[in-house]
Every structure is written in C-alpha cells, then in structure tokens.
Amino acid sequence: MRKINVFDTTLRDGEQSAGVNLNFQEKLEIAKQLERLGVDIIEAGFPASSQGDFSSVQAIAQTVKGSSVTGLARSLERDIETTWEALKDSAEPRIHVFLATSPIHMEYKLKMTPDEVVENAVAAVKLAASKFPQVQWSAEDASRTELPFLARIIKEVIDAGATVINLPDTVGYTTPYEIGQMFKYVSENVSNIHKAILSTHNHDDLGMAVANSLAAIQNGAGQVECTINGIGERAGNAALEEIAVALNIRQDHYQADTGIVLKEIKRTSTLVSKLTGMVVPSNKAVVGNNAFAHESGIHQDGVLKNKETYEIITPELVGVSSNRMVLGKHSGRHAFKDKLKELGFNGTDEELQKIFIAFKDLADKKKEITEEDLFALMTEATVGTAIAHYELETLQVNYGTINIPTATITMKLPSGEVVQEAATGSGSVEAIYNTLERVIDGPVLLTDYRIQSISGGRDALAEVYVNVKYDGVESSGRGTAHDVLEASAKAYINAVNRTINRQQYNQKLTKSVNV
Ligand code: KIV
Ligand code: ZN
C-alpha cells in the first residue's frame, strides 16, 4: 500500500475563491482543524503577497506542529526571503516556489524564452534550497507544457535542490488519461526523478479535478494537492474529502491510502463552509447533507435489509453522527465542557463561559441542542466575533401584511455612545438594514444575502451570510441567532466590523513597515 501525502491548499488556493476573505483568527482556526484532520502539509498562504498573509503564515507555522507548513513564492529573491522569514520557526520549513512552463504563459505572461525560464527556475530553487530543508517546485500550467521541455526543466530543478515536483493542471483543462500520460512520461524520462516526490494539483473547470488527481496517483504521484469542499480559484480545486475517501474505499483498486483522519472530515467541511461562507451543495459527494440520505422506497428497503445494498460509505466513517441530540436544558457545565472538548474546543475559560451562556440561552428556546448547534456557538465565540466596533443592543421589528415594516434598533457606537434609530423598508430585513445604515457611518452596499438553518426542525438556529461593500472594501459577515431577523442584523454588523478591523490592521502594518 503506497502512502500518499496530502497537501492542503484551502488557505492559499482555496482562499482565492471569489468573495472569500478569511481573517487572521479564522485562518488559524482552520489550520488547527487541518492538523487534527491529519493533513501532511498545510499551504498557509502567500507570505510575500501582503503583510496580512505574512502574519497569518507565520502564526500558523509557529502554532501547528503536527503538519508541515508551507508558503507560496514566485521565483523572485524577495518572495523567497520573505517566505523564509515567515516560516523559519516552523517544525519543518518548506517552501513552494513556482514558475510557468507552458508556451502561452512563457510568451505572453512571463515574456521569457524557454532558456530564460530554466535559468530563472534553477536560480530560485538554489536560493530556496540554501534556506529550506524542503523545496517544492511547481511548473505552473504543466498540463499545457511540451513534455520534452517539462522533463528538461524538472531535471534541472531537482539538481538545484527541489525535493518535490508539482505538475499542476492550472486551468482545469486536462483529462484523466492525459494526466496519467504526463506523470508516466516524467517518471520515465527524467533521470533523477527518484530524488523527488511527484505531486499533482488540479482545478475543476471541466469537473475532472478529483478524477485527474486519482489518475496522477495511479501513474506515480506521491503527493496530492487539494482543498476542503473543493473551494478555490474559479471552479475550485480537487476536493480533499473526495480523494481521501475514494482512496480509502477503493484501496483494492488504487493500492494507496492517505493518513487523513476520516472521522474529522465532516467537521472540517462544516468549519470551512461556515468561515468562508461557501455553502456545501446538498448533493456534494462525502460531505453534502444528502450524501447519505436514501430517498426512494426501493433503496430504503434494501438498506434496511442490508446497508451494503446501497451504501458504500458509512456516515460514521467521515464523522457524520446519527445521534443528533447531544445536550438539553438541564445539562450541566461539566457535560457541556466535555462535549466541547470532543468537538475540538481548546479555547480559554472566558470563551468557554461565553459559549455556556449562549448555550443556556439557546436551550431555553430550543428543545434539543445538536452537535451542529454547539459547533455553531463554539465557532461564533472563538472566531466569529470581529472586534465589536458596532454592537447590537436591542432590535424590534413591526411586520404585518398590511403594515409598512419598521425596525427600531439600539446600537453601541465605536465611541461607546448608545444610539437608537428607526426606519422602514419594503420587507423586515430591508427595514433592519435601512435602520443600520442610519447608525453606521457611511453607506453600506449589500451585494449578497443568504440564509440557512443549522440542523433541522422549526426551532433550528438560523445562520445568515452577507457580502457588503463598505468604505470601498468588500467584506463578508455572518450572524447566528435563534431568530432569522436577529441573525440578519448580526451578519450585517459583523461584515461592517470586519471591514473596520481589516482597515485598522492594515494601517497598523503599514505603520510598522514605515518604522
Ligand atoms: O494552479 C496552479 O498552477 C497553482 C500553482 C501556484 C501551483 O496554484
Ligand atoms: Zn492552483
């Protein structure tokens, strides 16, 4: 059985998804969960791209010790030096340096001849290898690169010190057969290939990212790059959970497996979906809400007689629990703390107390508190609250089919002053947002609004996601509450607070750089 290394790029390629902007705390929380999931390598960001990315990569490298942490770098001295500064304290410093190799990228994007590209790649890898024990080199757009040139440049960068060679299908163009041929060609035509691990990285533009990754593994890839829920640039990247489960369930076919802790899959998927605001479709393989739902009578009958008639993956395997009710109104602090620990909580006593109060409040309104509810409260308390510049104190909405919806809101301003405002709208949510806009300094443009329930039932918690443009900056926000209108108000305020946070953070960084 071959062991395939899993390289997770949720925090780098995944974060490049349109509309996703994770803050420092959120990235750290996802990295900790990826470590629990057992990924071998976490690509934490692109340190030279911004001060914010630099700081989060550095913090993740200093915190996570169970997975190797890496950062992306262009083939530039400045990028490689910056990445070293961010990663030098990590358990196993590792850099991911890339350069495009396809004719179209070399001619139009890089404006370099093939010889210049080889020279540049070799120089970058030599510099990287003088600092990092592990150097991954990627041939961007490898799947559209001429194979003899690919073999030539790979040989040169391995001689220069590369330990991992990644061959990305950058534009999601290749097919399982073609990618298999590319890996076979490289394995057979690069004389020093045994000195490096081959890696595959696939985008999903034609819906073949997972199939292409598996074909590459069959043809020599020892590392697979992927993201949780398949998020990423354009149509996304290959989904980690699908690859890990496919290799596990079809070991007979692939003769390969990963070190992924499969029962952590569902929780990781939920966390990433919550923090990025990217909803997982119900029919998504492995982690969709319907992935284990047998709807037709014939299937249900078969499953009752023998599960294996229609079930190839058990929900338990990937951490989907059937025992939904976990705590109730009378559950004590002790049981509560134990359950949170089981869910991966490792926060402070102050955070625990905050979640306990929110739990008691929810238990007054909701009969059964499920794992999903607890997870939502936990996420809200640990990473959900951007520093509260604006704080909702009270909200009242008057709605009737023959009335004009009116909202009255009491808010605490960044100055500490408490103000009350009211406004109308054509619906309750619009009335709330019109009122909030009166309180908040400057216009707020709402560009997206989504609502969903956490777990089922009439008394379910509501979760609202919004995207706003405030002060020229696009930001997302989320709010969870027992009532949909309160969740809507919280999401909007959260988005504005996140924007202010980001601006203050950037100002602070600019000042420290100027100093
Ligand atoms: O898709 C791609 O080519 C990439 C590289 C930077 C590895 O993400
Ligand atoms: Zn990519």
Side-chain angles (χ1 to χ4, degrees):
M1 196 64 62
R2 287 164 65 217
K3 153 89 170 34
I4 305 299
N5 289 341
V6 174
F7 175 112
D8 179 277
T9 182
T10 305
L11 294 172
R12 200 277 297 168
D13 226 341
E15 223 243 345
Q16 287 173 217
S17 308
V20 171
N21 49 58
L22 296 166
N23 65 29
F24 178 87
Q25 198 54 38
E26 290 164 339
K27 286 183 186 171
L28 200 57
E29 215 50 48
I30 290 177
K32 287 196 256 172
Q33 180 58 30
L34 291 172
E35 184 184 21
R36 244 174 258 134
L37 179 68
V39 310
D40 299 280
I41 299 139
I42 297 173
E43 185 165 47
F46 185 175
S49 68
S50 69
Q51 274 291 331
D53 243 40
F54 178 91
S55 307
S56 53
V57 172
Q58 190 177 46
I60 291 169
Q62 287 165 353
T63 310
V64 168
K65 299 296 170 204
S67 310
S68 176
V69 179
T70 193
L72 184 70
R74 288 164 297 186
S75 297
L76 301 173
E77 196 179 322
R78 179 179 76 87
D79 275 31
I80 296 165
E81 301 286 357
T82 308
T83 309
W84 173 245
E85 285 309 309
L87 286 165
K88 62 184 180 198
D89 296 331
S90 68
E92 185 202 27
R94 178 184 287 262
I95 189 170
H96 177 191
V97 53
F98 74 100
L99 192 60
T101 52
S102 63
I104 185 167
H105 276 237
M106 291 193 291
E107 184 178 347
Y108 294 99
K109 190 182 81 173
L110 300 177
K111 299 192 193 329
M112 282 186 190
T113 64
D115 285 347
E116 284 169 339
V117 168
V118 174
E119 200 183 312
N120 197 298
V122 167
V125 169
K126 274 195 181 149
L127 175 62
S130 70
K131 298 172 182 297
F132 290 84
Q134 297 296 336
V135 177
Q136 167 165 328
W137 181 77
S138 281
E140 190 189 11
D141 208 14
S143 56
R144 293 192 299 170
T145 298
E146 287 158 358
L147 290 175
F149 179 65
L150 196 57
R152 174 184 158 204
I153 194 166
I154 291 172
K155 176 173 181 316
E156 297 279 342
V157 293
I158 293 177
D159 280 342
T163 53
V164 179
I165 299 293
N166 183 40
L167 304 178
D169 181 27
T170 304
V171 291
Y173 178 75
T174 199
T175 68
Y177 177 76
E178 279 174 6
I179 199 168
Q181 292 301 105
M182 177 171 75
F183 275 80
K184 204 159 176 283
Y185 181 91
V186 167
S187 303
E188 290 169 359
N189 290 279
V190 177
S191 57
N192 55 0
I193 198 69
H194 58 281
K195 292 189 185 162
I197 294 175
L198 273 175
S199 168
T200 185
H201 172 117
N202 298 293
H203 282 268
D204 208 31
D205 300 66
L206 295 176
M208 290 191 273
V210 170
N212 287 338
S213 304
L214 294 170
I217 287 169
Q218 279 185 298
N219 286 280
Q223 173 177 299
V224 62
E225 304 200 358
C226 36
T227 61
I228 301 297
N229 301 333
I231 65 170
E233 185 88 33
R234 306 181 312 276
N237 289 55
L240 182 150
E241 62 281 2
E242 294 181 23
I243 295 169
V245 172
L247 289 178
N248 180 271
I249 296 288
R250 296 305 312 273
Q251 280 178 27
D252 61 320
H253 181 70
Y254 291 107
Q255 297 293 312
D257 204 356
T258 66
I260 291 295
V261 181
L262 298 178
K263 67 175 176 40
E264 288 291 332
I265 282 182
K266 180 67 180 178
R267 190 167 302 153
T268 316
S269 162
T270 307
L271 180 70
V272 169
S273 169
K274 235 180 235 313
L275 299 187
T276 57
M278 294 194 72
V279 176
V280 176
S282 304
N283 64 336
K284 163 90 176 55
V286 181
V287 288
N289 281 340
N290 291 349
F292 304 100
H294 299 281
E295 205 47 38
S296 98
I298 296 174
H299 287 207
Q300 286 174 351
D301 181 56
V303 169
L304 285 174
K305 288 174 177 147
N306 179 340
K307 278 193 170 182
E308 286 177 25
T309 49
Y310 288 102
E311 200 171 85
I312 59 154
I313 316 165
T314 64
E316 294 76 24
L317 181 76
V318 294
V320 174
S321 65
S322 43
N323 167 25
R324 299 176 77 76
M325 199 290 234
V326 286
L327 293 174
K329 195 176 164 143
H330 302 293
S331 303
R333 220 183 129 82
H334 209 77
F336 176 77
K337 193 173 172 181
D338 284 351
K339 192 72 215 172
L340 278 202
K341 279 219 167 113
E342 218 182 279
L343 290 176
F345 176 77
N346 59 3
T348 60
D349 282 351
E350 202 185 317
E351 280 167 346
L352 181 80
Q353 181 59 15
K354 207 161 132 191
I355 309 169
F356 190 64
I357 292 169
F359 157 70
K360 282 288 175 189
D361 185 42
L362 182 63
D364 277 340
K365 300 170 183 150
K366 193 171 186 286
K367 225 165 62 202
E368 296 180 345
I369 308 291
T370 65
E371 265 191 15
E372 283 130 310
D373 294 328
L374 281 185
F375 196 65
L377 296 181
M378 190 173 102
T379 316
E380 190 80 3
T382 50
V383 290
T385 40
I387 295 168
H389 303 281
Y390 289 97
E391 258 178 278
L392 180 70
E393 298 229 316
T394 63
L395 164 68
Q396 192 191 325
V397 181
N398 288 326
Y399 172 79
T401 50
I402 53 165
N403 295 340
I404 296 174
T406 310
T408 309
I409 289 174
T410 315
M411 285 260 278
K412 195 156 157 201
L413 304 183
S415 62
E417 188 194 347
V418 176
V419 295
Q420 192 173 60
E421 270 293 353
T424 58
S426 53
S428 301
V429 173
E430 198 197 350
I432 292 172
Y433 289 176
N434 287 344
T435 311
L436 287 173
E437 206 176 24
R438 287 188 171 195
V439 178
I440 286 162
D441 188 15
V444 184
L445 179 72
L446 184 72
T447 53
D448 196 12
Y449 172 94
R450 276 173 287 140
I451 184 160
Q452 65 181 35
S453 72
I454 294 172
S455 71
R458 289 181 204 192
D459 58 359
L461 272 176
E463 194 160 48
V464 170
Y465 290 94
V466 296
N467 270 309
V468 303
K469 202 162 185 184
Y470 173 60
D471 215 5
V473 179
E474 279 222 46
S475 240
S476 58
R478 62 180 180 276
T480 308
H482 199 243
D483 183 272
V484 294
L485 297 179
E486 188 182 332
S488 303
K490 280 182 165 177
Y492 185 99
I493 297 167
N494 181 247
V496 171
N497 283 336
R498 282 168 67 99
T499 315
I500 299 173
N501 261 5
R502 225 162 69 207
Q503 281 166 333
Q504 288 185 345
Y505 182 66
N506 286 342
Q507 273 164 11
K508 212 165 74 192
L509 289 174
T510 316
K511 265 194 212 144
S512 67
V513 168
N514 289 341
V515 167

